[in-house]
Each structure stands twice: as C-alpha cells, then as structure tokens.
Short mmCIF file of all heavy atoms in Angstrom, two decimals:
data_model
loop_
_atom_site.label_atom_id
_atom_site.label_comp_id
_atom_site.label_asym_id
_atom_site.label_seq_id
_atom_site.Cartn_x
_atom_site.Cartn_y
_atom_site.Cartn_z
N PRO P 1 0.79 -1.23 0.00
CA PRO P 1 0.00 0.00 0.00
C PRO P 1 0.83 1.28 0.00
O PRO P 1 0.35 2.32 -0.45
CB PRO P 1 -0.82 -0.11 1.31
CG PRO P 1 -0.82 -1.56 1.64
CD PRO P 1 0.49 -2.09 1.15
N ALA P 2 2.08 1.20 0.50
CA ALA P 2 2.89 2.41 0.65
C ALA P 2 3.51 2.87 -0.67
O ALA P 2 4.01 4.00 -0.75
CB ALA P 2 3.99 2.18 1.68
N VAL P 3 3.49 2.04 -1.72
CA VAL P 3 4.10 2.44 -2.99
C VAL P 3 3.13 3.34 -3.77
O VAL P 3 2.02 2.92 -4.09
CB VAL P 3 4.43 1.20 -3.86
CG1 VAL P 3 5.00 1.64 -5.21
CG2 VAL P 3 5.43 0.31 -3.13
N PRO P 4 3.52 4.59 -4.05
CA PRO P 4 2.63 5.50 -4.81
C PRO P 4 2.25 4.91 -6.15
O PRO P 4 3.09 4.30 -6.83
CB PRO P 4 3.48 6.78 -4.96
CG PRO P 4 4.48 6.71 -3.85
CD PRO P 4 4.78 5.26 -3.67
N PHE P 5 1.00 5.10 -6.55
CA PHE P 5 0.50 4.49 -7.78
C PHE P 5 1.28 4.99 -9.00
O PHE P 5 1.60 4.23 -9.90
CB PHE P 5 -0.99 4.80 -7.94
CG PHE P 5 -1.70 3.89 -8.89
CD1 PHE P 5 -1.80 2.53 -8.62
CD2 PHE P 5 -2.28 4.37 -10.05
CE1 PHE P 5 -2.46 1.66 -9.49
CE2 PHE P 5 -2.93 3.52 -10.94
CZ PHE P 5 -3.02 2.17 -10.64
N PHE P 6 1.61 6.28 -9.03
CA PHE P 6 2.34 6.84 -10.17
C PHE P 6 3.72 6.20 -10.29
O PHE P 6 4.17 5.87 -11.39
CB PHE P 6 2.48 8.35 -10.02
CG PHE P 6 3.22 9.02 -11.15
CD1 PHE P 6 2.58 9.32 -12.34
CD2 PHE P 6 4.57 9.32 -11.04
CE1 PHE P 6 3.25 9.91 -13.40
CE2 PHE P 6 5.26 9.93 -12.08
CZ PHE P 6 4.59 10.22 -13.26
N VAL P 7 4.39 6.02 -9.16
CA VAL P 7 5.71 5.39 -9.16
C VAL P 7 5.62 3.97 -9.70
O VAL P 7 6.45 3.53 -10.50
CB VAL P 7 6.31 5.40 -7.75
CG1 VAL P 7 7.62 4.60 -7.70
CG2 VAL P 7 6.56 6.83 -7.28
N ALA P 8 4.59 3.24 -9.26
CA ALA P 8 4.41 1.86 -9.72
C ALA P 8 4.09 1.78 -11.20
O ALA P 8 4.28 0.74 -11.83
CB ALA P 8 3.30 1.19 -8.91
N ASN P 9 3.62 2.88 -11.78
CA ASN P 9 3.33 2.91 -13.22
C ASN P 9 4.55 3.26 -14.05
O ASN P 9 4.71 2.75 -15.17
CB ASN P 9 2.23 3.94 -13.51
CG ASN P 9 0.90 3.58 -12.88
OD1 ASN P 9 0.62 2.41 -12.64
ND2 ASN P 9 0.10 4.58 -12.59
N VAL P 10 5.42 4.11 -13.54
CA VAL P 10 6.53 4.64 -14.32
C VAL P 10 7.78 3.78 -14.22
O VAL P 10 8.45 3.53 -15.23
CB VAL P 10 6.84 6.09 -13.87
CG1 VAL P 10 8.11 6.59 -14.53
CG2 VAL P 10 5.68 7.01 -14.23
N VAL P 11 8.12 3.32 -13.01
CA VAL P 11 9.36 2.57 -12.81
C VAL P 11 9.45 1.34 -13.72
O VAL P 11 10.51 1.10 -14.33
CB VAL P 11 9.52 2.18 -11.33
CG1 VAL P 11 10.67 1.19 -11.16
CG2 VAL P 11 9.77 3.42 -10.47
N PRO P 12 8.38 0.53 -13.86
CA PRO P 12 8.50 -0.63 -14.77
C PRO P 12 8.86 -0.24 -16.20
O PRO P 12 9.54 -1.00 -16.90
CB PRO P 12 7.11 -1.28 -14.70
CG PRO P 12 6.59 -0.89 -13.36
CD PRO P 12 7.09 0.51 -13.14
N ALA P 13 8.40 0.92 -16.64
CA ALA P 13 8.72 1.37 -18.00
C ALA P 13 10.20 1.67 -18.15
O ALA P 13 10.77 1.51 -19.25
CB ALA P 13 7.90 2.62 -18.34
N PHE P 14 10.84 2.07 -17.08
CA PHE P 14 12.25 2.45 -17.13
C PHE P 14 13.19 1.23 -17.07
O PHE P 14 14.39 1.38 -17.31
CB PHE P 14 12.59 3.39 -15.99
CG PHE P 14 11.93 4.74 -16.11
CD1 PHE P 14 11.78 5.56 -15.01
CD2 PHE P 14 11.44 5.19 -17.33
CE1 PHE P 14 11.16 6.81 -15.12
CE2 PHE P 14 10.82 6.42 -17.46
CZ PHE P 14 10.69 7.24 -16.36
N VAL P 15 12.67 0.07 -16.73
CA VAL P 15 13.53 -1.12 -16.63
C VAL P 15 13.16 -2.16 -17.68
O VAL P 15 13.58 -3.32 -17.59
CB VAL P 15 13.47 -1.74 -15.21
CG1 VAL P 15 14.07 -0.78 -14.20
CG2 VAL P 15 12.04 -2.12 -14.84
N GLY P 16 12.37 -1.78 -18.67
CA GLY P 16 12.12 -2.66 -19.81
C GLY P 16 11.06 -3.72 -19.61
O GLY P 16 11.08 -4.75 -20.29
N VAL P 17 10.11 -3.50 -18.71
CA VAL P 17 9.02 -4.46 -18.51
C VAL P 17 8.12 -4.46 -19.75
O VAL P 17 7.82 -3.40 -20.31
CB VAL P 17 8.20 -4.11 -17.26
CG1 VAL P 17 6.94 -4.95 -17.17
CG2 VAL P 17 9.06 -4.28 -16.01
N SER P 18 7.67 -5.63 -20.16
CA SER P 18 6.79 -5.72 -21.33
C SER P 18 5.40 -5.22 -20.99
O SER P 18 4.97 -5.26 -19.82
CB SER P 18 6.70 -7.17 -21.82
OG SER P 18 6.00 -7.97 -20.89
N LEU P 19 4.69 -4.75 -22.00
CA LEU P 19 3.33 -4.23 -21.80
C LEU P 19 2.42 -5.31 -21.23
O LEU P 19 1.62 -5.05 -20.33
CB LEU P 19 2.78 -3.71 -23.13
CG LEU P 19 1.34 -3.17 -23.09
CD1 LEU P 19 1.26 -1.95 -22.20
CD2 LEU P 19 0.87 -2.83 -24.51
N TRP P 20 2.53 -6.53 -21.75
CA TRP P 20 1.66 -7.62 -21.30
C TRP P 20 1.85 -7.89 -19.81
O TRP P 20 0.87 -8.01 -19.06
CB TRP P 20 1.97 -8.89 -22.10
CG TRP P 20 1.38 -10.14 -21.54
CD1 TRP P 20 2.06 -11.20 -21.01
CD2 TRP P 20 -0.01 -10.48 -21.45
NE1 TRP P 20 1.19 -12.17 -20.59
CE2 TRP P 20 -0.09 -11.76 -20.84
CE3 TRP P 20 -1.19 -9.83 -21.81
CZ2 TRP P 20 -1.31 -12.40 -20.60
CZ3 TRP P 20 -2.40 -10.47 -21.57
CH2 TRP P 20 -2.45 -11.74 -20.98
N ARG P 21 3.10 -7.99 -19.35
CA ARG P 21 3.34 -8.23 -17.93
C ARG P 21 2.82 -7.08 -17.07
O ARG P 21 2.27 -7.30 -15.99
CB ARG P 21 4.83 -8.44 -17.68
CG ARG P 21 5.36 -9.76 -18.18
CD ARG P 21 6.78 -10.02 -17.70
NE ARG P 21 7.27 -11.30 -18.19
CZ ARG P 21 8.42 -11.84 -17.82
NH1 ARG P 21 9.21 -11.19 -16.97
NH2 ARG P 21 8.79 -13.01 -18.29
N PHE P 22 3.01 -5.88 -17.56
CA PHE P 22 2.55 -4.72 -16.80
C PHE P 22 1.03 -4.76 -16.62
O PHE P 22 0.52 -4.54 -15.52
CB PHE P 22 2.97 -3.43 -17.49
CG PHE P 22 2.50 -2.19 -16.78
CD1 PHE P 22 3.23 -1.67 -15.73
CD2 PHE P 22 1.31 -1.56 -17.16
CE1 PHE P 22 2.78 -0.53 -15.05
CE2 PHE P 22 0.87 -0.44 -16.50
CZ PHE P 22 1.61 0.08 -15.44
N VAL P 23 0.31 -5.01 -17.70
CA VAL P 23 -1.16 -5.01 -17.64
C VAL P 23 -1.67 -6.11 -16.71
O VAL P 23 -2.54 -5.88 -15.86
CB VAL P 23 -1.76 -5.17 -19.04
CG1 VAL P 23 -3.27 -5.37 -18.97
CG2 VAL P 23 -1.44 -3.95 -19.90
N VAL P 24 -1.13 -7.32 -16.86
CA VAL P 24 -1.59 -8.45 -16.05
C VAL P 24 -1.33 -8.21 -14.57
O VAL P 24 -2.22 -8.40 -13.72
CB VAL P 24 -0.92 -9.76 -16.51
CG1 VAL P 24 -1.22 -10.89 -15.53
CG2 VAL P 24 -1.39 -10.13 -17.90
N THR P 25 -0.11 -7.80 -14.23
CA THR P 25 0.22 -7.61 -12.82
C THR P 25 -0.49 -6.40 -12.22
O THR P 25 -0.82 -6.40 -11.03
CB THR P 25 1.74 -7.44 -12.63
OG1 THR P 25 2.22 -6.38 -13.47
CG2 THR P 25 2.46 -8.72 -12.98
N THR P 26 -0.75 -5.39 -13.03
CA THR P 26 -1.51 -4.24 -12.53
C THR P 26 -2.94 -4.64 -12.23
O THR P 26 -3.46 -4.37 -11.13
CB THR P 26 -1.50 -3.09 -13.56
OG1 THR P 26 -0.16 -2.64 -13.75
CG2 THR P 26 -2.35 -1.92 -13.07
N PHE P 27 -3.59 -5.29 -13.18
CA PHE P 27 -4.99 -5.68 -12.99
C PHE P 27 -5.16 -6.59 -11.77
O PHE P 27 -6.02 -6.36 -10.92
CB PHE P 27 -5.51 -6.38 -14.24
CG PHE P 27 -6.98 -6.68 -14.20
CD1 PHE P 27 -7.90 -5.76 -14.67
CD2 PHE P 27 -7.45 -7.89 -13.68
CE1 PHE P 27 -9.26 -6.04 -14.62
CE2 PHE P 27 -8.81 -8.17 -13.63
CZ PHE P 27 -9.72 -7.25 -14.11
N LEU P 28 -4.31 -7.61 -11.67
CA LEU P 28 -4.43 -8.55 -10.56
C LEU P 28 -3.91 -7.97 -9.25
O LEU P 28 -4.49 -8.21 -8.19
CB LEU P 28 -3.68 -9.85 -10.89
CG LEU P 28 -4.21 -10.64 -12.09
CD1 LEU P 28 -3.33 -11.87 -12.33
CD2 LEU P 28 -5.65 -11.04 -11.89
N GLY P 29 -2.84 -7.19 -9.33
CA GLY P 29 -2.21 -6.68 -8.11
C GLY P 29 -3.01 -5.63 -7.38
O GLY P 29 -2.90 -5.50 -6.15
N ILE P 30 -3.85 -4.87 -8.10
CA ILE P 30 -4.62 -3.82 -7.42
C ILE P 30 -5.97 -4.32 -6.93
O ILE P 30 -6.71 -3.57 -6.28
CB ILE P 30 -4.84 -2.60 -8.35
CG1 ILE P 30 -5.71 -2.97 -9.56
CG2 ILE P 30 -3.52 -2.00 -8.78
CD1 ILE P 30 -6.04 -1.79 -10.45
N ILE P 31 -6.28 -5.58 -7.18
CA ILE P 31 -7.59 -6.11 -6.76
C ILE P 31 -7.83 -5.99 -5.25
O ILE P 31 -8.89 -5.49 -4.84
CB ILE P 31 -7.75 -7.58 -7.22
CG1 ILE P 31 -7.99 -7.63 -8.73
CG2 ILE P 31 -8.91 -8.26 -6.49
CD1 ILE P 31 -8.08 -9.03 -9.30
N PRO P 32 -6.88 -6.40 -4.37
CA PRO P 32 -7.17 -6.32 -2.94
C PRO P 32 -7.50 -4.90 -2.47
O PRO P 32 -8.52 -4.68 -1.80
CB PRO P 32 -5.87 -6.82 -2.29
CG PRO P 32 -5.26 -7.71 -3.32
CD PRO P 32 -5.57 -7.06 -4.63
N GLY P 33 -6.66 -3.92 -2.80
CA GLY P 33 -6.91 -2.55 -2.37
C GLY P 33 -8.17 -1.98 -2.99
O GLY P 33 -8.94 -1.28 -2.31
N ALA P 34 -8.41 -2.29 -4.26
CA ALA P 34 -9.60 -1.76 -4.94
C ALA P 34 -10.87 -2.31 -4.32
O ALA P 34 -11.85 -1.57 -4.13
CB ALA P 34 -9.55 -2.10 -6.43
N VAL P 35 -10.88 -3.59 -3.98
CA VAL P 35 -12.07 -4.19 -3.36
C VAL P 35 -12.34 -3.56 -1.99
O VAL P 35 -13.50 -3.28 -1.64
CB VAL P 35 -11.91 -5.72 -3.25
CG1 VAL P 35 -13.02 -6.32 -2.40
CG2 VAL P 35 -11.92 -6.35 -4.63
N VAL P 36 -11.27 -3.32 -1.23
CA VAL P 36 -11.44 -2.72 0.10
C VAL P 36 -12.08 -1.34 -0.01
O VAL P 36 -13.09 -1.05 0.64
CB VAL P 36 -10.08 -2.63 0.83
CG1 VAL P 36 -10.22 -1.76 2.09
CG2 VAL P 36 -9.58 -4.01 1.19
N TYR P 37 -11.51 -0.47 -0.85
CA TYR P 37 -12.03 0.89 -0.96
C TYR P 37 -13.39 0.93 -1.66
O TYR P 37 -14.22 1.79 -1.36
CB TYR P 37 -11.03 1.78 -1.69
CG TYR P 37 -9.89 2.21 -0.80
CD1 TYR P 37 -8.57 1.87 -1.10
CD2 TYR P 37 -10.12 2.96 0.35
CE1 TYR P 37 -7.51 2.26 -0.29
CE2 TYR P 37 -9.08 3.34 1.17
CZ TYR P 37 -7.78 2.99 0.86
OH TYR P 37 -6.75 3.37 1.68
N THR P 38 -13.63 0.00 -2.59
CA THR P 38 -14.94 -0.04 -3.23
C THR P 38 -16.00 -0.44 -2.22
O THR P 38 -17.12 0.11 -2.23
CB THR P 38 -14.94 -1.03 -4.41
OG1 THR P 38 -13.90 -0.69 -5.32
CG2 THR P 38 -16.27 -0.96 -5.16
N SER P 39 -15.68 -1.36 -1.35
CA SER P 39 -16.64 -1.76 -0.31
C SER P 39 -16.92 -0.62 0.66
O SER P 39 -18.04 -0.47 1.14
CB SER P 39 -16.12 -2.99 0.45
OG SER P 39 -14.93 -2.69 1.17
N VAL P 40 -15.88 0.19 0.93
CA VAL P 40 -16.11 1.39 1.76
C VAL P 40 -17.07 2.32 1.05
O VAL P 40 -18.00 2.87 1.65
CB VAL P 40 -14.77 2.11 2.05
CG1 VAL P 40 -15.03 3.46 2.73
CG2 VAL P 40 -13.87 1.25 2.93
N GLY P 41 -16.87 2.51 -0.26
CA GLY P 41 -17.77 3.35 -1.03
C GLY P 41 -19.19 2.82 -1.06
O GLY P 41 -20.15 3.60 -1.05
N ALA P 42 -19.33 1.50 -1.09
CA ALA P 42 -20.67 0.90 -1.11
C ALA P 42 -21.45 1.20 0.16
O ALA P 42 -22.69 1.17 0.16
CB ALA P 42 -20.56 -0.61 -1.32
N GLY P 43 -20.74 1.50 1.25
CA GLY P 43 -21.41 1.81 2.51
C GLY P 43 -21.53 3.30 2.78
O GLY P 43 -21.87 3.70 3.90
N LEU P 44 -21.27 4.13 1.76
CA LEU P 44 -21.30 5.57 1.98
C LEU P 44 -22.70 6.10 2.29
O LEU P 44 -22.83 7.16 2.91
CB LEU P 44 -20.74 6.31 0.75
CG LEU P 44 -19.22 6.32 0.61
CD1 LEU P 44 -18.82 7.13 -0.62
CD2 LEU P 44 -18.56 6.91 1.85
#
C-alpha cells in the first residue's frame, strides 16, 4: 500500500518491462486494495 501508484506505473517502463506483464500484474495486483475501498464506497 505504501508504494505511490504513479511510481508503480513509471518505474517498470524504465527497466524494460513488457506491456503484457505490466497489464496483467496491474490488474491482478490492485484487486485487494480496490475491493477494500470499493466496499467502503458501497457503505457511503
């Protein structure tokens, strides 16, 4: 959670990560945090 989202988007581009790996790991990796905050929103 402590890694800024912008940093997590830019750093992989600077070390040659492929687009496919970036998309897959982003989609799956943000699921836990997204579900938590979406559930908070559902109770607003």
Side-chain angles (χ1 to χ4, degrees):
V3 177
F5 199 64
F6 180 82
V7 173
N9 296 334
V10 173
V11 170
F14 293 160
V15 294
V17 170
S18 69
L19 178 64
W20 167 247
R21 288 189 179 187
F22 178 84
V23 172
V24 171
T25 55
T26 297
F27 186 90
L28 297 178
I30 65 176
I31 286 176
V35 170
V36 169
Y37 282 119
T38 305
S39 65
V40 171
L44 282 182

